[in-house]
Structures are given as structure tokens and as C-alpha cells.
Amino acid sequence: MNFRHFALSLATLALTVPALADDHELTLDLKKRGAPVPETLYGIFFEDINFAADGGLYAEKVMNRSFEYPLDALQGWKAFGKVSVREDGPFERNPHYVRLENPGHPHKWTGLENSGWFGIGVEKGAEYRFSVWARVPEGGSSSIRVELVNSASMGENHFLCQDTVTVNGAEWKKYSVTITPDATMEKSALRIFLVSERNTVDLEHVSLFPVDTWMGHENGLRKDLAQALYDLHPGVFRFPGGCIVEGTDLATRYQWKNSIGPVENRPLNENRWEYTFPHRFYPDYYQSYGLGFYEFFQLSEEIGAQPLPILSVGLACQFQNDESVPNPHVPVEELEPYIQDALDLIEFANGGAQTTWGAVRAQMGHPEPFGLKYIGIGNEQWDSLYPEHLEPFVKAIRKAHPEIKIVGSSGPDSEGPQFEYLWPEMKRLGADLVDEHFYRPYNWFLSQGARYDSYSRKGPKVFAGEYACHAKGKKWNHFYASLLEAAFMTGIERNADVVEMATYAPLFAHVEGWQWRPDLIWYNNLESFRTVSWHVQQLYGKYRGTTTATLTMDGKPVTGADGQDGLFASAVRDGDLIYVKVVNTSDKDTTVELGFNGLKKRQTVKTCKVVRLTSEELYVDNSLEAPARIVPVECELPGEGREFTLEVPALSFNIFILSRN
Ligand code: AHR
């Protein structure tokens, strides 16, 4: 580019770099009409792994609140005095409850203590709603004292707050009281004493929620974590996984019908992430289903994302079921109940309030349909087993609901024999989208900038349903991995005509309870932080645009190919605004000369600002202690012209925001 109307000089963002690479010339085509960018393009993958639901997003503080843990009904509880477990409670699918009786001596006490997941985190001055189903079996009244305690306290007493609940009569009733701790504690405990006359009392479904949940729902979600989802500008919300959809065996697959209706009667399920990795083993990890399909749909709506439920195809996890396990899967001819589950789910989401499942939704508080458009059948399945099982689902869903798009799977690998086999199979079966998964190392991400450029535009669309850069030997969150994800995503954006959705995975991780990393959002019982990968996803979501725009370097897409010096780039338009994303994966500062095709004579373009994500250190991320260590920085970039020189520092992700005059 010979003639520069503007040479824009940006303060280089704290990077010491040895040399300046050669300039690069990028051309943005403003004449050619691009493809629409699907609203679903950037989204969220939710799975209850790393204590993402119970102990994470689901704001319940009491573990094993219904006394249903299978080996020990009191798992998670410390009982003292005279406590017994009984099993003829008021909730059919959760029959256990506890009986608290007079300890038999005026100086003894009966009661229970629960420490939640890794302790119960509470904030000074915040309100917590304690609730319990209770009765006095002999009639009359009795009372319990409820406390939040710090048992490690050196003070005169343990409690941070306390209140009394009086229980009346022999009928089961729900009681609740709001308590407010006078100190912030990451690891408090809930203690319950039988008090007053110490008449026998029965307790069931003992629960403690912050009053201030996301959107104020009583069966609510942790506000900071739900907010972190909302702030991503997600277009799609996939749930409930992941492998959890399949189950280690079919009995423990995720069953959506068990996850709806009154929370007290949602049966407990085993969580496969309890034991998947014996080197990170969590014997307390179960799914209460308190965060269930109704809550998933509701959350999708509240964060503005299309819901994307994934259901079992009748195959238990194929990783966990080799030839040594007899008959792990449902024979094809016995799939009917599984297929019916899928059809019923569509009715639950979209049916009128007069339909069987629509009525359940309406009764739960959402008479309006949720507007489900997509359903996924099967997660990481492979071999001929998968198409054989998928086919009857496709036929039944097509027949009953031709309006619903079906997502099939290409297996667990990003390429290779299963991938090569399953893609054509998905095409043959008429899947609308194919789910691809890739947890892959640096080199893979650096080599895949052009992955989707050659995909057929005639077949199913792509759902990049699980991906993250997993560095060999550096399997934790760090800036460099996130930068490579940003680089790879330019290829998603450029190919938004064939990629309809992409969701990073996994989403959440408790710092004391993770099985898998990297993850997008981390937390302890009180605080959370957003990783650099979160910021990458957020920037793509925020600057998604509405149509793609062709951006080339020497006539070629900018994919990090040989001779492109580690540059990846793409562009989208949004009305008059143009978002040009440039990722420099090399360790050299560079500049790009940005010119335009299709500008009319005298027509100019304005530069507005640049949003830049970079870091001096490669292998670090944000943390609970330093949540904003690496965050995007915005710089005003005022200018107007027909060509621009833009600085692109080494190892940086840049979004240049321009506007067409
Ligand atoms: O995201 C973690 C796991 O990775 C998912 O459950 C599974 O689908 C994939 O193997």
C-alpha cells in the first residue's frame, strides 16, 4: 500500500518484543455481500462436571438435603444425640428423612450439622433462606434452632446467626426462616439443634439458599456465576453435557423427566465425574437435579440464548463400556421410551399449556413455550452403533416435529477414522448439525485456521460443541492457550455460513472440586473469576456482527498459514460498523496495512477504537486473587481515511472497530 491516509499509532500494550515483523497488507471487501452470522454462533456448553451444578451454579448450600445419598443417608451430615433415618417420607422419589428425638438427658443435645460442598460460603449482612419440611409425629409442637456456625472460631460462641423454627402438628409442612450472618465466611456450617421441650421432630429436604439469587428465583442460581454467563452474550446454551448425558451405565444417564417438577421429589442421580478420574476422586459428587431442565430452559431465556438440550441415544458412555461390560446399551428395537423422552421434551418446551408436558411446564411457572428450535441426540458416540441408534430418533422427530433441528455427533475426535465415518453418516441421516469436539494442543489450534474453509456448504452445519486448547504438559488455564483459541475462532467467524454454533468446554470449575481443566469460569464458595478464555469468548460474543466480510492477505484468507507470520484474521459487519479481528500468535510486533475494496470515490472509513487482549506472561491466567490480571483494554482510535496502518503487537488478540461513512 503506497498511499497512507493515516498512520495510527497506538500505545503498545506492555509487551517487550525483540523485533518488528514485516508489514502485512490486509484487504477488506466491502462490495461483496457476506453471509449472515447466526445468532447462535457463540454460546455456552454446560455440564455438571467440576461441581458446576450442585456446589456451583445451583445456589443450594446444603449437600444431601433429602438424605438420599445411596450408601449413607447421612453422608455430608454430622449427627449428634438421638438421630435416626427413616424412609416413609412425604416425597415418593426421595423417601428418606431424619427423626430428631430427645437425647434423654438435660445436658445432651440432638441435632445435625452440614458443611455443604467444601464448606458453606456466606456473606456478612446477606440474607439466607433456611427451609425444611417438618412435622411433629406425635402431634403438638416442637422446635429447632438453626445456626450458621464457624466451628473454628476462638470467640465466645460459634454462631454467625441463629433463629428458631417452631414445628406444629403431625402433618408434613414446609417451614422457612431468613437468617443473616454477622460475618463473611467461606467455610461455615449449618447446625440444627432440637430445642424447647425437645419433642420428637421429623425433618426432610433441609435447604439453605441465598435470598439474592440470579433473577430472584427461590430455587435459584448463584448470581455471580449466572451473571458471568449473561455477560458472554451467548447465542446458544447447551445442556446438560457432555458425557453426563450418556451415563456410565444407562441407569445413571441424565434423565430429564427426573429433573423437573417440585425439587423435593426430584430423585438423586450418580454423577459420573465422582469416579471418572481416581486421581481426582470426589465420593460426595451426586446430582440433586435441583438445577434441572426447567431451570436450564429458564436460564437460556434469561441470558438470551437458544436452548440446546442433548439427550441420550440409548448408548451408555462408550469410553466406559468396552467389550468387558455385558450389554451396556439399549438394543435398537427397545429404543421407544428414549425416543418418547425426546418427543416429550419438545412438548415440555414448546407444547401449549393444555398438552401433557406443556401443562407440567405451565405448572412450574412458565405457561408460554420456551421456543425450542434444536435438539441433540447422543454425545460422543461412535461406530455403527451410533447411526443405527440415531436413525429411529431422526425419523420420529422429523415426523412429529419437522420444525426442530437435529444435532448429531461426529464422535470424540477432531479427525481420524470415526470422524471420517460419522460425518457422511450424519449427512445420510439428515442431521441438521454435526457436533465436533476438540480438546487439542497448541499445534493443532495453530494449524486449523482454515479448517472450515473447505467444508461442504451443502451438508449439515457445524456445531463445534466442545473445544479448548489443551497444551501438552500445561493443562491449565493460561493466556497462550486462550490466544490460540482466539486465533482458531477467526476461522469459525469467517465460515459462519457453515458453522452455526460453537461452545467452549467445560464451563465451570470449583477450585476445590475440579476433575478437568482448563475451564471457562472458576470459583470458590464466595467468589469467582473469569479466565482469559472467557474474555476471548466474550469478545467474540459482543462483536459477533450480523454478516461476514471477506478479509484477505495477498488474496488469501488469513489463517496462520505458511508465510502469514502467525497472523489470523476475520471480519464481520454490523450495520455501518465493521469489526476486524486480528490475532498475532507470533512473538513479533507487527503492523497491518488495512485497505478496502468497494469504497466509492471519496468514500471513507472511520476508525473508532481497538479492543486488545494481551499479556506479558504466557502461562498465567486470572485467579481468585487477581481476577482482572489479564483483561481486554480498549483504546480510542480516532481517524478517517481509505487505508490505515494498524499496530498488532506480538501475542495479542485485537478487535478494530471501524465504521463506514
Ligand atoms: O467436557 C468434558 C467432557 O469432554 C465431556 O463430558 C465429554 O463430552 C468430553 O469428552
Side-chain angles (χ1 to χ4, degrees):
M1 222 165 276
N2 305 324
F3 182 72
R4 291 180 190 171
H5 280 255
F6 277 96
L8 297 168
S9 180
L10 289 174
T12 305
L13 295 173
L15 263 173
T16 43
V17 258
L20 209 66
D22 293 341
D23 288 356
H24 298 89
E25 295 185 6
L26 298 189
T27 306
L28 183 65
D29 197 326
L30 292 176
K31 207 161 51 180
K32 212 157 95 194
R33 218 183 152 72
V37 177
E39 288 182 5
T40 50
L41 190 55
Y42 308 113
I44 295 173
F45 161 95
F46 179 91
E47 174 166 28
D48 188 2
I49 181 173
N50 307 320
F51 289 86
D54 297 289
L57 180 61
Y58 186 48
E60 173 64 85
K61 304 250 175 212
V62 178
M63 185 170 81
N64 190 16
R65 64 187 173 187
S66 291
F67 309 99
E68 294 298 332
Y69 276 27
L71 286 183
D72 174 7
L74 285 177
Q75 196 168 330
W77 293 91
K78 284 179 194 160
F80 46 91
K82 198 167 175 201
V83 176
S84 56
V85 177
R86 306 173 73 90
E87 52 181 48
D88 56 344
F91 305 111
E92 192 197 337
R93 296 197 289 185
N94 288 324
H96 295 90
Y97 63 96
V98 286
R99 174 157 290 180
L100 271 48
E101 293 176 82
N102 193 313
H105 189 286
H107 286 270
K108 294 187 183 178
W109 294 93
T110 288
L112 291 166
E113 190 175 305
N114 190 291
S115 298
W117 292 271
F118 319 106
I120 292 181
V122 291
E123 313 253 11
K124 179 179 176 177
E127 292 182 315
Y128 295 86
R129 186 182 298 110
F130 169 85
S131 68
V132 64
W133 284 79
R135 68 173 180 180
V136 180
E138 302 302 323
S141 75
S142 184
S143 32
I144 53 171
R145 191 170 70 239
V146 180
E147 299 180 344
L148 281 167
V149 299
N150 168 11
S151 46
S153 166
M154 293 287 283
E156 281 302 314
N157 61 58
H158 278 172
F159 54 84
L160 310 171
C161 54
Q162 53 177 214
D163 209 335
T164 302
V165 177
T166 302
V167 181
N168 287 307
E171 294 300 315
W172 285 102
K173 281 183 273 193
K174 186 175 177 180
Y175 296 83
S176 64
V177 65
T178 301
I179 47 181
T180 305
D182 62 8
T184 294
M185 270 214 75
E186 190 193 330
K187 289 174 184 287
S188 75
L190 173 72
R191 202 176 273 170
I192 300 170
F193 288 102
L194 180 65
V195 290
S196 97
E197 298 306 312
R198 299 177 175 198
N199 292 333
T200 300
V201 69
D202 291 340
L203 305 180
E204 161 65 313
H205 198 87
V206 182
S207 170
L208 183 75
F209 270 90
V211 170
D212 190 18
T213 56
W214 166 255
M215 298 282 168
H217 300 302
E218 250 188 56
N219 183 48
L221 307 180
R222 215 175 115 168
K223 215 173 168 182
D224 58 332
L225 299 183
Q227 186 68 46
L229 303 186
Y230 178 84
D231 290 348
L232 283 167
H233 306 269
V236 65
F237 183 74
R238 168 188 170 152
F239 55 85
C243 291
I244 218 165
V245 166
E246 305 153 4
T248 300
D249 43 36
L250 289 169
T252 54
R253 73 188 189 280
Y254 197 105
Q255 297 196 49
W256 76 266
K257 286 176 180 165
N258 288 347
S259 80
I260 59 165
V263 283
E264 294 87 347
N265 206 23
R266 299 183 192 175
L268 190 79
N269 194 24
E270 196 172 282
N271 189 318
R272 58 158 289 145
W273 298 110
E274 173 189 322
Y275 46 69
T276 301
F277 301 122
H279 56 282
R280 292 197 65 83
F281 194 75
Y282 292 91
D284 288 339
Y285 203 176
Y286 289 85
Q287 299 172 79
S288 72
Y289 280 148
L291 168 52
F293 264 46
Y294 177 84
E295 291 76 22
F296 284 131
F297 278 113
Q298 188 177 51
L299 179 62
S300 306
E301 188 171 83
E302 289 167 350
I303 60 178
Q306 275 297 326
L308 170 52
I310 310 283
L311 297 191
S312 162
V313 70
L315 298 172
C317 175
Q318 287 170 275
F319 285 112
Q320 292 179 316
N321 290 281
D322 60 13
E323 312 70 53
S324 65
V325 182
N327 308 319
H329 311 303
V330 189
V332 173
E333 47 299 347
E334 291 170 26
L335 275 173
E336 196 279 330
Y338 289 73
I339 296 170
Q340 195 56 48
D341 268 0
L343 299 175
D344 291 344
L345 178 64
I346 297 170
E347 185 175 290
F348 175 74
N350 290 354
Q354 77 292 350
T355 63
T356 308
W357 289 99
V360 178
R361 182 197 68 239
Q363 206 178 13
M364 290 184 75
H366 202 288
E368 293 306 315
F370 280 119
L372 178 71
K373 293 186 180 153
Y374 299 92
I375 193 166
I377 307 293
N379 178 44
E380 288 181 347
Q381 326 293 170
W382 62 81
D383 286 340
S384 55
L385 271 176
Y386 180 45
E388 282 162 19
H389 278 69
L390 181 61
E391 190 159 8
F393 281 85
V394 174
K395 283 190 177 143
I397 296 171
R398 286 276 178 261
K399 191 165 168 214
H401 294 285
E403 74 286 2
I404 296 288
K405 288 191 181 177
I406 300 173
V407 183
S409 166
S410 59
D413 307 321
S414 48
E415 48 269 304
Q418 287 303 333
F419 184 88
E420 299 303 331
Y421 163 67
L422 285 170
W423 250 100
E425 283 297 284
M426 293 304 105
K427 200 168 174 176
R428 177 180 70 79
L429 293 177
D432 297 288
L433 291 97
V434 177
D435 185 5
E436 298 188 345
H437 292 183
F438 29 90
Y439 298 104
R440 308 287 279 129
Y442 298 153
N443 284 346
W444 188 90
F445 274 83
L446 284 165
S447 69
Q448 295 292 308
R451 179 180 179 88
Y452 296 118
D453 293 7
S454 54
Y455 267 48
S456 163
R457 267 52 188 170
K458 295 203 181 100
K461 303 273 177 148
V462 174
F463 170 33
E466 291 186 34
Y467 69 93
C469 179
H470 281 204
K472 217 173 170 190
K474 288 195 176 62
K475 269 199 188 184
W476 64 82
N477 286 91
H478 56 261
F479 167 77
Y480 186 56
S482 309
L483 182 76
L484 300 194
E485 289 154 10
F488 172 76
M489 289 174 79
T490 56
I492 290 181
E493 180 168 282
R494 187 174 47 257
N495 290 285
D497 59 326
V498 69
V499 183
E500 193 162 326
M501 310 170 170
T503 56
Y504 176 102
L507 178 64
F508 283 127
H510 194 293
V511 291
E512 292 179 62
W514 62 270
Q515 297 83 47
W516 183 294
R517 61 179 187 180
D519 305 287
L520 210 61
I521 300 161
W522 287 80
Y523 46 88
N524 64 14
N525 294 341
L526 289 176
E527 294 168 316
S528 54
F529 72 91
R530 300 160 179 198
T531 61
V532 181
S533 290
W534 183 94
H535 287 288
V536 167
Q537 296 294 321
Q538 198 261 355
L539 290 175
Y540 271 95
K542 184 168 176 189
Y543 298 105
R544 175 169 51 80
T546 53
T547 47
T548 58
T550 306
L551 183 70
T552 51
M553 188 155 93
D554 301 324
K556 295 191 188 120
V558 196
T559 61
D562 282 352
Q564 294 191 326
D565 294 333
L567 286 180
F568 295 69
S570 58
V572 287
R573 297 173 64 175
D574 191 348
D576 285 337
L577 291 174
I578 306 163
Y579 307 138
V580 179
K581 303 188 178 83
V582 185
V583 184
N584 184 358
T585 61
S586 83
D587 61 359
K588 292 192 174 67
D589 285 350
T590 191
T591 54
V592 295
E593 307 291 323
L594 180 65
F596 304 92
N597 264 348
L599 278 185
K600 295 193 191 109
K601 225 176 166 182
R602 296 183 197 286
Q603 193 181 11
T604 56
V605 170
K606 276 187 181 160
T607 50
C608 307
K609 64 178 175 184
V610 57
V611 185
R612 179 166 296 153
L613 190 59
T614 188
S615 166
E616 283 178 33
E617 288 178 68
L618 291 189
Y619 306 120
V620 296
D621 208 302
N622 299 321
S623 63
L624 285 172
E625 297 71 34
R629 179 183 197 164
I630 305 167
V631 292
V633 175
E634 285 192 17
C635 284
E636 296 301 317
L637 197 64
E640 186 172 349
R642 293 169 67 87
E643 296 170 355
F644 303 101
T645 301
L646 304 170
E647 291 189 356
V648 181
L651 300 162
S652 68
F653 171 30
N654 308 269
I655 305 181
F656 297 99
I657 298 163
L658 317 171
S659 101
R660 189 183 174 161
N661 266 343

